[in-house]
Amino acid sequence: MAYSAEKLSEEKVFKDPVHRYVHVRDLAIWDLIGTKEFQRLRRIKQLGTTFLTFHGAEHSRFNHSLGVYEIVRRIIDDVFAGRPEWNDDDRLLTLCAALLHDLGHGPFSHSFEKVFDFDHEEFTRQIILGNTEVNNVLLRVSPDFPKKVAEVIAKTSEKKLVVSMISSQIDADRMDYLQRDAYFTGVSYGQFDMERILRVMRPREDQVVIKKSGMHAVEDYIMSRYQMYWQVYFHPVSRSAEVILTKILHRAKQLFEENYTFKYEPIHFTSIFNEKVTLEDYLKLDES
C-alpha cells in the first residue's frame, strides 16, 4: 500500500478543549506530528504577550495547528466527501497543509519578526523543503509532495479550493483561533456556530462557498471576529506589553551591534542578530 493511503491500525485522538477530540487515522499525519519541528510548536505561545493580560492565554501554536487540522478533516470527511466538485486525491495535501501552516512561527510571533526582519512564512517553507524530519515524512508521499504542501501554505498553489480552506475570510485557521483564544482568555466574544457553518460549506472549483441559508451563522462569525480583535487582540495592556517587548529586543539588538558581551547568553542567543540566520539556529529559538 502506498504511504499516502496508509492508515494507523487504530485511530489516535488528542483530547481538545475546543473540538473535544482531534482524530488522526492517516499514518503520514501521525508521523508529521511526531517530528521535532512540529513538536517545537509546544514551546511557542499562540498569543505572544497576551498572557500578561489574560493569564489563561498560555496555549501554544501546537494546540492551534492540531485544531486547524481537525476542522479541515471534518470539512473533507464529513461535508465534502462524495461531492463531484471535490477531488479526494487532494485530501492528504489539504490535511498536511492545515497541520503545518504555522510551522515557521518564532517566539512571540509578530513582535519578534518585526524587530529581526524575519518572515515566519519563509521559515515554514524552509522547514518543509529543507533537510528536516518534516521534509523526510512528506517525501515518503512523493518526491514533489513537499513542494505542493509549501505552495498551498504560500497561497501560490494552482489548487485554489485547497488554499481557500486554510487561508480565506472564512477558513479553518480563523475558525480555530477565534474559539481557542476565546476559551483560553476566558471571554465569550469568540463563540459562534461553527457546526452550522461547516454544514453549509460547499466546494467549488476555485473556493469554498457558503449556502445562503447559512448567512446568519456567517454574520455571527464576523461579529465574533470583530469583538475578539477589539476586546482581546487590541487590548491596551496587551499592546503595551508588546511595545515593551519590542523595545527590549531592539535594545538587545543594538547592544550586539556595539559588540557588547552578554554575560549569561544561551549558546544560540546571538545567532538571531546575524544577518543570515540558519534554519538550524532558528529552530532552537523558543519562549522557554
PDB file of all heavy atoms in Angstrom, residues 117-149:
ATOM      1  N   ASP A 117      13.327  41.322  11.372  1.00  0.00           N
ATOM      2  CA  ASP A 117      13.010  41.229   9.947  1.00  0.00           C
ATOM      3  C   ASP A 117      12.925  39.769   9.497  1.00  0.00           C
ATOM      4  O   ASP A 117      13.494  39.384   8.464  1.00  0.00           O
ATOM      5  CB  ASP A 117      14.053  41.989   9.114  1.00  0.00           C
ATOM      6  CG  ASP A 117      13.564  42.245   7.697  1.00  0.00           C
ATOM      7  OD1 ASP A 117      12.337  42.299   7.499  1.00  0.00           O
ATOM      8  OD2 ASP A 117      14.397  42.376   6.785  1.00  0.00           O
ATOM      9  N   PHE A 118      12.258  38.946  10.312  1.00  0.00           N
ATOM     10  CA  PHE A 118      12.033  37.549   9.968  1.00  0.00           C
ATOM     11  C   PHE A 118      10.647  37.399   9.349  1.00  0.00           C
ATOM     12  O   PHE A 118       9.748  38.202   9.589  1.00  0.00           O
ATOM     13  CB  PHE A 118      12.114  36.659  11.211  1.00  0.00           C
ATOM     14  CG  PHE A 118      13.518  36.450  11.725  1.00  0.00           C
ATOM     15  CD1 PHE A 118      13.720  35.893  12.979  1.00  0.00           C
ATOM     16  CD2 PHE A 118      14.617  36.799  10.970  1.00  0.00           C
ATOM     17  CE1 PHE A 118      14.997  35.693  13.472  1.00  0.00           C
ATOM     18  CE2 PHE A 118      15.910  36.605  11.452  1.00  0.00           C
ATOM     19  CZ  PHE A 118      16.098  36.050  12.706  1.00  0.00           C
ATOM     20  N   ASP A 119      10.472  36.368   8.570  1.00  0.00           N
ATOM     21  CA  ASP A 119       9.186  36.062   7.968  1.00  0.00           C
ATOM     22  C   ASP A 119       8.858  34.613   8.300  1.00  0.00           C
ATOM     23  O   ASP A 119       9.504  33.693   7.797  1.00  0.00           O
ATOM     24  CB  ASP A 119       9.250  36.266   6.455  1.00  0.00           C
ATOM     25  CG  ASP A 119       7.924  35.977   5.768  1.00  0.00           C
ATOM     26  OD1 ASP A 119       6.977  35.572   6.456  1.00  0.00           O
ATOM     27  OD2 ASP A 119       7.845  36.139   4.535  1.00  0.00           O
ATOM     28  N   HIS A 120       7.868  34.399   9.169  1.00  0.00           N
ATOM     29  CA  HIS A 120       7.568  33.026   9.586  1.00  0.00           C
ATOM     30  C   HIS A 120       7.118  32.166   8.411  1.00  0.00           C
ATOM     31  O   HIS A 120       7.340  30.949   8.397  1.00  0.00           O
ATOM     32  CB  HIS A 120       6.509  33.018  10.696  1.00  0.00           C
ATOM     33  CG  HIS A 120       5.116  33.314  10.241  1.00  0.00           C
ATOM     34  ND1 HIS A 120       4.616  34.587  10.196  1.00  0.00           N
ATOM     35  CD2 HIS A 120       4.127  32.494   9.814  1.00  0.00           C
ATOM     36  CE1 HIS A 120       3.372  34.549   9.756  1.00  0.00           C
ATOM     37  NE2 HIS A 120       3.051  33.299   9.514  1.00  0.00           N
ATOM     38  N   GLU A 121       6.507  32.783   7.397  1.00  0.00           N
ATOM     39  CA  GLU A 121       6.078  32.002   6.234  1.00  0.00           C
ATOM     40  C   GLU A 121       7.284  31.495   5.442  1.00  0.00           C
ATOM     41  O   GLU A 121       7.265  30.387   4.912  1.00  0.00           O
ATOM     42  CB  GLU A 121       5.165  32.843   5.347  1.00  0.00           C
ATOM     43  CG  GLU A 121       3.815  33.152   5.994  1.00  0.00           C
ATOM     44  CD  GLU A 121       2.888  33.896   5.071  1.00  0.00           C
ATOM     45  OE1 GLU A 121       3.343  34.317   3.975  1.00  0.00           O
ATOM     46  OE2 GLU A 121       1.716  34.075   5.430  1.00  0.00           O
ATOM     47  N   GLU A 122       8.341  32.294   5.394  1.00  0.00           N
ATOM     48  CA  GLU A 122       9.555  31.857   4.716  1.00  0.00           C
ATOM     49  C   GLU A 122      10.208  30.718   5.481  1.00  0.00           C
ATOM     50  O   GLU A 122      10.695  29.743   4.879  1.00  0.00           O
ATOM     51  CB  GLU A 122      10.533  33.029   4.579  1.00  0.00           C
ATOM     52  CG  GLU A 122      11.928  32.653   4.090  1.00  0.00           C
ATOM     53  CD  GLU A 122      11.945  31.958   2.735  1.00  0.00           C
ATOM     54  OE1 GLU A 122      10.979  32.121   1.961  1.00  0.00           O
ATOM     55  OE2 GLU A 122      12.922  31.249   2.445  1.00  0.00           O
ATOM     56  N   PHE A 123      10.225  30.800   6.816  1.00  0.00           N
ATOM     57  CA  PHE A 123      10.797  29.706   7.596  1.00  0.00           C
ATOM     58  C   PHE A 123       9.918  28.454   7.526  1.00  0.00           C
ATOM     59  O   PHE A 123      10.435  27.333   7.578  1.00  0.00           O
ATOM     60  CB  PHE A 123      11.025  30.142   9.048  1.00  0.00           C
ATOM     61  CG  PHE A 123      12.316  30.872   9.243  1.00  0.00           C
ATOM     62  CD1 PHE A 123      12.326  32.247   9.429  1.00  0.00           C
ATOM     63  CD2 PHE A 123      13.530  30.207   9.217  1.00  0.00           C
ATOM     64  CE1 PHE A 123      13.523  32.937   9.591  1.00  0.00           C
ATOM     65  CE2 PHE A 123      14.727  30.883   9.380  1.00  0.00           C
ATOM     66  CZ  PHE A 123      14.735  32.253   9.569  1.00  0.00           C
ATOM     67  N   THR A 124       8.619  28.630   7.396  1.00  0.00           N
ATOM     68  CA  THR A 124       7.744  27.476   7.180  1.00  0.00           C
ATOM     69  C   THR A 124       8.140  26.769   5.895  1.00  0.00           C
ATOM     70  O   THR A 124       8.254  25.535   5.850  1.00  0.00           O
ATOM     71  CB  THR A 124       6.270  27.919   7.098  1.00  0.00           C
ATOM     72  OG1 THR A 124       5.880  28.512   8.343  1.00  0.00           O
ATOM     73  CG2 THR A 124       5.359  26.736   6.801  1.00  0.00           C
ATOM     74  N   ARG A 125       8.349  27.556   4.854  1.00  0.00           N
ATOM     75  CA  ARG A 125       8.756  26.977   3.569  1.00  0.00           C
ATOM     76  C   ARG A 125      10.094  26.261   3.693  1.00  0.00           C
ATOM     77  O   ARG A 125      10.279  25.159   3.165  1.00  0.00           O
ATOM     78  CB  ARG A 125       8.853  28.095   2.515  1.00  0.00           C
ATOM     79  CG  ARG A 125       9.048  27.596   1.088  1.00  0.00           C
ATOM     80  CD  ARG A 125       9.345  28.740   0.140  1.00  0.00           C
ATOM     81  NE  ARG A 125      10.674  29.274   0.386  1.00  0.00           N
ATOM     82  CZ  ARG A 125      11.795  28.739  -0.093  1.00  0.00           C
ATOM     83  NH1 ARG A 125      11.748  27.674  -0.859  1.00  0.00           N
ATOM     84  NH2 ARG A 125      12.961  29.285   0.176  1.00  0.00           N
ATOM     85  N   GLN A 126      11.061  26.880   4.401  1.00  0.00           N
ATOM     86  CA  GLN A 126      12.377  26.253   4.557  1.00  0.00           C
ATOM     87  C   GLN A 126      12.289  24.929   5.320  1.00  0.00           C
ATOM     88  O   GLN A 126      12.985  23.969   4.993  1.00  0.00           O
ATOM     89  CB  GLN A 126      13.326  27.204   5.292  1.00  0.00           C
ATOM     90  CG  GLN A 126      13.802  28.392   4.472  1.00  0.00           C
ATOM     91  CD  GLN A 126      14.895  29.171   5.179  1.00  0.00           C
ATOM     92  OE1 GLN A 126      15.751  28.599   5.843  1.00  0.00           O
ATOM     93  NE2 GLN A 126      14.860  30.486   5.047  1.00  0.00           N
ATOM     94  N   ILE A 127      11.438  24.893   6.345  1.00  0.00           N
ATOM     95  CA  ILE A 127      11.294  23.658   7.125  1.00  0.00           C
ATOM     96  C   ILE A 127      10.697  22.549   6.260  1.00  0.00           C
ATOM     97  O   ILE A 127      11.131  21.396   6.315  1.00  0.00           O
ATOM     98  CB  ILE A 127      10.420  23.906   8.371  1.00  0.00           C
ATOM     99  CG1 ILE A 127      11.117  24.870   9.329  1.00  0.00           C
ATOM    100  CG2 ILE A 127      10.125  22.586   9.094  1.00  0.00           C
ATOM    101  CD1 ILE A 127      10.229  25.360  10.460  1.00  0.00           C
ATOM    102  N   ILE A 128       9.705  22.902   5.470  1.00  0.00           N
ATOM    103  CA  ILE A 128       9.031  21.905   4.635  1.00  0.00           C
ATOM    104  C   ILE A 128       9.946  21.404   3.523  1.00  0.00           C
ATOM    105  O   ILE A 128       9.949  20.206   3.191  1.00  0.00           O
ATOM    106  CB  ILE A 128       7.737  22.495   4.050  1.00  0.00           C
ATOM    107  CG1 ILE A 128       6.709  22.697   5.173  1.00  0.00           C
ATOM    108  CG2 ILE A 128       7.160  21.597   2.959  1.00  0.00           C
ATOM    109  CD1 ILE A 128       5.466  23.429   4.740  1.00  0.00           C
ATOM    110  N   LEU A 129      10.751  22.293   2.957  1.00  0.00           N
ATOM    111  CA  LEU A 129      11.587  21.931   1.814  1.00  0.00           C
ATOM    112  C   LEU A 129      13.023  21.573   2.185  1.00  0.00           C
ATOM    113  O   LEU A 129      13.759  21.019   1.365  1.00  0.00           O
ATOM    114  CB  LEU A 129      11.605  23.083   0.792  1.00  0.00           C
ATOM    115  CG  LEU A 129      10.252  23.493   0.203  1.00  0.00           C
ATOM    116  CD1 LEU A 129      10.425  24.678  -0.737  1.00  0.00           C
ATOM    117  CD2 LEU A 129       9.604  22.323  -0.525  1.00  0.00           C
ATOM    118  N   GLY A 130      13.451  21.888   3.416  1.00  0.00           N
ATOM    119  CA  GLY A 130      14.848  21.695   3.808  1.00  0.00           C
ATOM    120  C   GLY A 130      15.141  20.303   4.333  1.00  0.00           C
ATOM    121  O   GLY A 130      14.312  19.388   4.274  1.00  0.00           O
ATOM    122  N   ASN A 131      16.327  20.157   4.872  1.00  0.00           N
ATOM    123  CA  ASN A 131      16.777  18.874   5.410  1.00  0.00           C
ATOM    124  C   ASN A 131      16.230  18.708   6.825  1.00  0.00           C
ATOM    125  O   ASN A 131      16.920  18.910   7.821  1.00  0.00           O
ATOM    126  CB  ASN A 131      18.303  18.817   5.408  1.00  0.00           C
ATOM    127  CG  ASN A 131      18.832  17.485   5.924  1.00  0.00           C
ATOM    128  OD1 ASN A 131      18.116  16.475   5.884  1.00  0.00           O
ATOM    129  ND2 ASN A 131      20.062  17.473   6.409  1.00  0.00           N
ATOM    130  N   THR A 132      14.963  18.351   6.919  1.00  0.00           N
ATOM    131  CA  THR A 132      14.270  18.274   8.206  1.00  0.00           C
ATOM    132  C   THR A 132      13.496  16.963   8.301  1.00  0.00           C
ATOM    133  O   THR A 132      13.293  16.265   7.299  1.00  0.00           O
ATOM    134  CB  THR A 132      13.275  19.438   8.373  1.00  0.00           C
ATOM    135  OG1 THR A 132      12.284  19.345   7.334  1.00  0.00           O
ATOM    136  CG2 THR A 132      13.986  20.781   8.285  1.00  0.00           C
ATOM    137  N   GLU A 133      13.051  16.649   9.511  1.00  0.00           N
ATOM    138  CA  GLU A 133      12.224  15.457   9.697  1.00  0.00           C
ATOM    139  C   GLU A 133      10.887  15.611   8.984  1.00  0.00           C
ATOM    140  O   GLU A 133      10.352  14.650   8.434  1.00  0.00           O
ATOM    141  CB  GLU A 133      12.009  15.204  11.192  1.00  0.00           C
ATOM    142  CG  GLU A 133      13.274  14.785  11.928  1.00  0.00           C
ATOM    143  CD  GLU A 133      13.035  14.505  13.404  1.00  0.00           C
ATOM    144  OE1 GLU A 133      11.857  14.522  13.831  1.00  0.00           O
ATOM    145  OE2 GLU A 133      14.019  14.267  14.127  1.00  0.00           O
ATOM    146  N   VAL A 134      10.340  16.816   8.986  1.00  0.00           N
ATOM    147  CA  VAL A 134       9.082  17.068   8.279  1.00  0.00           C
ATOM    148  C   VAL A 134       9.235  16.783   6.789  1.00  0.00           C
ATOM    149  O   VAL A 134       8.399  16.103   6.175  1.00  0.00           O
ATOM    150  CB  VAL A 134       8.622  18.529   8.491  1.00  0.00           C
ATOM    151  CG1 VAL A 134       7.530  18.915   7.482  1.00  0.00           C
ATOM    152  CG2 VAL A 134       8.107  18.728   9.904  1.00  0.00           C
ATOM    153  N   ASN A 135      10.307  17.279   6.207  1.00  0.00           N
ATOM    154  CA  ASN A 135      10.561  17.040   4.783  1.00  0.00           C
ATOM    155  C   ASN A 135      10.691  15.549   4.487  1.00  0.00           C
ATOM    156  O   ASN A 135      10.173  15.045   3.479  1.00  0.00           O
ATOM    157  CB  ASN A 135      11.826  17.778   4.348  1.00  0.00           C
ATOM    158  CG  ASN A 135      12.176  17.544   2.894  1.00  0.00           C
ATOM    159  OD1 ASN A 135      13.039  16.736   2.565  1.00  0.00           O
ATOM    160  ND2 ASN A 135      11.491  18.251   2.002  1.00  0.00           N
ATOM    161  N   ASN A 136      11.372  14.819   5.364  1.00  0.00           N
ATOM    162  CA  ASN A 136      11.549  13.376   5.156  1.00  0.00           C
ATOM    163  C   ASN A 136      10.216  12.636   5.153  1.00  0.00           C
ATOM    164  O   ASN A 136      10.015  11.697   4.372  1.00  0.00           O
ATOM    165  CB  ASN A 136      12.464  12.793   6.237  1.00  0.00           C
ATOM    166  CG  ASN A 136      13.907  13.251   6.089  1.00  0.00           C
ATOM    167  OD1 ASN A 136      14.326  13.612   4.992  1.00  0.00           O
ATOM    168  ND2 ASN A 136      14.655  13.249   7.167  1.00  0.00           N
ATOM    169  N   VAL A 137       9.297  13.059   6.016  1.00  0.00           N
ATOM    170  CA  VAL A 137       7.978  12.429   6.038  1.00  0.00           C
ATOM    171  C   VAL A 137       7.220  12.733   4.757  1.00  0.00           C
ATOM    172  O   VAL A 137       6.640  11.836   4.122  1.00  0.00           O
ATOM    173  CB  VAL A 137       7.160  12.903   7.265  1.00  0.00           C
ATOM    174  CG1 VAL A 137       5.722  12.399   7.170  1.00  0.00           C
ATOM    175  CG2 VAL A 137       7.804  12.428   8.550  1.00  0.00           C
ATOM    176  N   LEU A 138       7.232  13.995   4.345  1.00  0.00           N
ATOM    177  CA  LEU A 138       6.495  14.392   3.145  1.00  0.00           C
ATOM    178  C   LEU A 138       7.056  13.727   1.887  1.00  0.00           C
ATOM    179  O   LEU A 138       6.298  13.390   0.963  1.00  0.00           O
ATOM    180  CB  LEU A 138       6.525  15.916   2.990  1.00  0.00           C
ATOM    181  CG  LEU A 138       5.841  16.721   4.108  1.00  0.00           C
ATOM    182  CD1 LEU A 138       6.037  18.220   3.886  1.00  0.00           C
ATOM    183  CD2 LEU A 138       4.364  16.384   4.205  1.00  0.00           C
ATOM    184  N   LEU A 139       8.367  13.536   1.847  1.00  0.00           N
ATOM    185  CA  LEU A 139       8.986  12.878   0.689  1.00  0.00           C
ATOM    186  C   LEU A 139       8.529  11.431   0.530  1.00  0.00           C
ATOM    187  O   LEU A 139       8.563  10.878  -0.567  1.00  0.00           O
ATOM    188  CB  LEU A 139      10.510  12.918   0.805  1.00  0.00           C
ATOM    189  CG  LEU A 139      11.192  14.254   0.493  1.00  0.00           C
ATOM    190  CD1 LEU A 139      12.683  14.179   0.815  1.00  0.00           C
ATOM    191  CD2 LEU A 139      10.985  14.636  -0.970  1.00  0.00           C
ATOM    192  N   ARG A 140       8.093  10.821   1.615  1.00  0.00           N
ATOM    193  CA  ARG A 140       7.617   9.441   1.541  1.00  0.00           C
ATOM    194  C   ARG A 140       6.306   9.361   0.766  1.00  0.00           C
ATOM    195  O   ARG A 140       5.941   8.304   0.258  1.00  0.00           O
ATOM    196  CB  ARG A 140       7.444   8.860   2.946  1.00  0.00           C
ATOM    197  CG  ARG A 140       8.750   8.686   3.700  1.00  0.00           C
ATOM    198  CD  ARG A 140       8.525   8.135   5.099  1.00  0.00           C
ATOM    199  NE  ARG A 140       7.950   6.792   5.066  1.00  0.00           N
ATOM    200  CZ  ARG A 140       7.560   6.118   6.140  1.00  0.00           C
ATOM    201  NH1 ARG A 140       7.659   6.682   7.343  1.00  0.00           N
ATOM    202  NH2 ARG A 140       7.055   4.894   6.027  1.00  0.00           N
ATOM    203  N   VAL A 141       5.590  10.470   0.679  1.00  0.00           N
ATOM    204  CA  VAL A 141       4.363  10.502  -0.110  1.00  0.00           C
ATOM    205  C   VAL A 141       4.708  10.532  -1.592  1.00  0.00           C
ATOM    206  O   VAL A 141       4.241   9.710  -2.375  1.00  0.00           O
ATOM    207  CB  VAL A 141       3.499  11.721   0.264  1.00  0.00           C
ATOM    208  CG1 VAL A 141       2.238  11.776  -0.611  1.00  0.00           C
ATOM    209  CG2 VAL A 141       3.112  11.665   1.738  1.00  0.00           C
ATOM    210  N   SER A 142       5.556  11.500  -1.969  1.00  0.00           N
ATOM    211  CA  SER A 142       6.062  11.585  -3.348  1.00  0.00           C
ATOM    212  C   SER A 142       7.185  12.619  -3.383  1.00  0.00           C
ATOM    213  O   SER A 142       7.239  13.496  -2.514  1.00  0.00           O
ATOM    214  CB  SER A 142       4.949  11.972  -4.329  1.00  0.00           C
ATOM    215  OG  SER A 142       4.565  13.318  -4.145  1.00  0.00           O
ATOM    216  N   PRO A 143       8.081  12.546  -4.373  1.00  0.00           N
ATOM    217  CA  PRO A 143       9.201  13.487  -4.433  1.00  0.00           C
ATOM    218  C   PRO A 143       8.781  14.950  -4.515  1.00  0.00           C
ATOM    219  O   PRO A 143       9.501  15.838  -4.039  1.00  0.00           O
ATOM    220  CB  PRO A 143       9.939  13.062  -5.710  1.00  0.00           C
ATOM    221  CG  PRO A 143       9.583  11.624  -5.896  1.00  0.00           C
ATOM    222  CD  PRO A 143       8.162  11.510  -5.416  1.00  0.00           C
ATOM    223  N   ASP A 144       7.636  15.230  -5.120  1.00  0.00           N
ATOM    224  CA  ASP A 144       7.191  16.620  -5.271  1.00  0.00           C
ATOM    225  C   ASP A 144       6.173  17.034  -4.217  1.00  0.00           C
ATOM    226  O   ASP A 144       5.662  18.160  -4.249  1.00  0.00           O
ATOM    227  CB  ASP A 144       6.628  16.849  -6.665  1.00  0.00           C
ATOM    228  CG  ASP A 144       5.376  16.008  -6.939  1.00  0.00           C
ATOM    229  OD1 ASP A 144       5.149  15.022  -6.196  1.00  0.00           O
ATOM    230  OD2 ASP A 144       4.645  16.326  -7.897  1.00  0.00           O
ATOM    231  N   PHE A 145       5.869  16.152  -3.281  1.00  0.00           N
ATOM    232  CA  PHE A 145       4.833  16.466  -2.292  1.00  0.00           C
ATOM    233  C   PHE A 145       5.211  17.618  -1.361  1.00  0.00           C
ATOM    234  O   PHE A 145       4.365  18.475  -1.085  1.00  0.00           O
ATOM    235  CB  PHE A 145       4.480  15.219  -1.476  1.00  0.00           C
ATOM    236  CG  PHE A 145       3.201  15.352  -0.694  1.00  0.00           C
ATOM    237  CD1 PHE A 145       1.982  15.500  -1.335  1.00  0.00           C
ATOM    238  CD2 PHE A 145       3.219  15.320   0.690  1.00  0.00           C
ATOM    239  CE1 PHE A 145       0.801  15.617  -0.620  1.00  0.00           C
ATOM    240  CE2 PHE A 145       2.043  15.455   1.416  1.00  0.00           C
ATOM    241  CZ  PHE A 145       0.829  15.601   0.764  1.00  0.00           C
ATOM    242  N   PRO A 146       6.466  17.699  -0.863  1.00  0.00           N
ATOM    243  CA  PRO A 146       6.816  18.865  -0.031  1.00  0.00           C
ATOM    244  C   PRO A 146       6.579  20.184  -0.754  1.00  0.00           C
ATOM    245  O   PRO A 146       6.075  21.143  -0.157  1.00  0.00           O
ATOM    246  CB  PRO A 146       8.305  18.646   0.269  1.00  0.00           C
ATOM    247  CG  PRO A 146       8.501  17.176   0.156  1.00  0.00           C
ATOM    248  CD  PRO A 146       7.583  16.736  -0.951  1.00  0.00           C
ATOM    249  N   LYS A 147       6.918  20.235  -2.023  1.00  0.00           N
ATOM    250  CA  LYS A 147       6.724  21.460  -2.809  1.00  0.00           C
ATOM    251  C   LYS A 147       5.244  21.792  -2.916  1.00  0.00           C
ATOM    252  O   LYS A 147       4.848  22.968  -2.797  1.00  0.00           O
ATOM    253  CB  LYS A 147       7.330  21.283  -4.205  1.00  0.00           C
ATOM    254  CG  LYS A 147       7.213  22.505  -5.120  1.00  0.00           C
ATOM    255  CD  LYS A 147       7.988  22.276  -6.415  1.00  0.00           C
ATOM    256  CE  LYS A 147       7.889  23.484  -7.347  1.00  0.00           C
ATOM    257  NZ  LYS A 147       6.527  23.636  -7.915  1.00  0.00           N
ATOM    258  N   LYS A 148       4.407  20.800  -3.117  1.00  0.00           N
ATOM    259  CA  LYS A 148       2.965  21.030  -3.227  1.00  0.00           C
ATOM    260  C   LYS A 148       2.395  21.582  -1.922  1.00  0.00           C
ATOM    261  O   LYS A 148       1.580  22.505  -1.926  1.00  0.00           O
ATOM    262  CB  LYS A 148       2.252  19.737  -3.601  1.00  0.00           C
ATOM    263  CG  LYS A 148       2.514  19.255  -5.019  1.00  0.00           C
ATOM    264  CD  LYS A 148       1.751  17.973  -5.297  1.00  0.00           C
ATOM    265  CE  LYS A 148       1.962  17.497  -6.728  1.00  0.00           C
ATOM    266  NZ  LYS A 148       1.236  16.227  -7.005  1.00  0.00           N
ATOM    267  N   VAL A 149       2.838  21.016  -0.789  1.00  0.00           N
ATOM    268  CA  VAL A 149       2.370  21.497   0.514  1.00  0.00           C
ATOM    269  C   VAL A 149       2.816  22.941   0.742  1.00  0.00           C
ATOM    270  O   VAL A 149       2.034  23.788   1.190  1.00  0.00           O
ATOM    271  CB  VAL A 149       2.887  20.592   1.645  1.00  0.00           C
ATOM    272  CG1 VAL A 149       2.533  21.178   3.015  1.00  0.00           C
ATOM    273  CG2 VAL A 149       2.313  19.185   1.516  1.00  0.00           C
TER     274      VAL A 149
END
